[in-house]
Amino acid sequence: DRMAAETNSASCQLHQHEGHRHQRGFLRSFLSSLRETGGELGYILRLQGSVFPKAMIFALPSGLCAVGLHYLFSWLGVDASSYVKEVNQIWASFTFVLGVLIVFRTNQAYSRYWEGATLLLQVRGEWLNATSSLIAFCTSEDSLRD
């Protein structure tokens, strides 16, 4: 009976939590409905432990701004072909800096991994040495104890 009461209580709390979650706004309710339907997309877009909802806060306004500027420039008749060389230089600089940062972070992660692996093997060796010493110095023969 106690187990059934706890299960009922947990079920009620879950339904109250889900009802409260749907009142938080359109984006959260959309993401939670995707999560409830299941599948990989629902797992990726889940609210707890995911970076996608926070990333959407920055990505959606930027994307909408870019689309709006594109349509505004085409409506005004601005020719973007004169800016292509400057944009290519900006993209090349950005790509270079991003590549350097990625290589730096990867090298840092690789060196940390090998340092951890080396320390783990050292700990394993110390435990093996301690176990070997215990076996060597603990004997059941009375003549060797003195």
Side-chain angles (χ1 to χ4, degrees), residues 33-46:
S33 68
L34 277 177
R35 188 185 73 173
E36 290 169 2
T37 58
E40 290 82 14
L41 187 62
Y43 180 73
I44 290 172
L45 297 176
R46 64 191 173 114

Side-chain angles (χ1 to χ4, degrees), residues 82-101:
S82 61
Y83 301 109
V84 171
K85 289 182 182 179
E86 296 163 0
V87 171
N88 284 339
Q89 290 175 343
I90 292 171
W91 275 113
S93 302
F94 174 75
T95 306
F96 174 74
V97 170
L98 186 64
V100 168
L101 288 175

Side-chain angles (χ1 to χ4, degrees), residues 6-25:
E6 288 177 2
T7 306
N8 255 350
S9 173
S11 173
C12 289
Q13 289 174 353
L14 177 65
H15 289 298
Q16 288 173 355
H17 179 67
E18 286 180 3
H20 180 55
R21 179 179 48 200
H22 286 290
Q23 297 172 356
R24 291 185 185 172

Side-chain angles (χ1 to χ4, degrees), residues 109-120:
Y110 187 71
S111 65
R112 287 179 183 166
Y113 167 78
W114 278 112
E115 181 181 1
T118 303
L119 290 173
L120 190 61

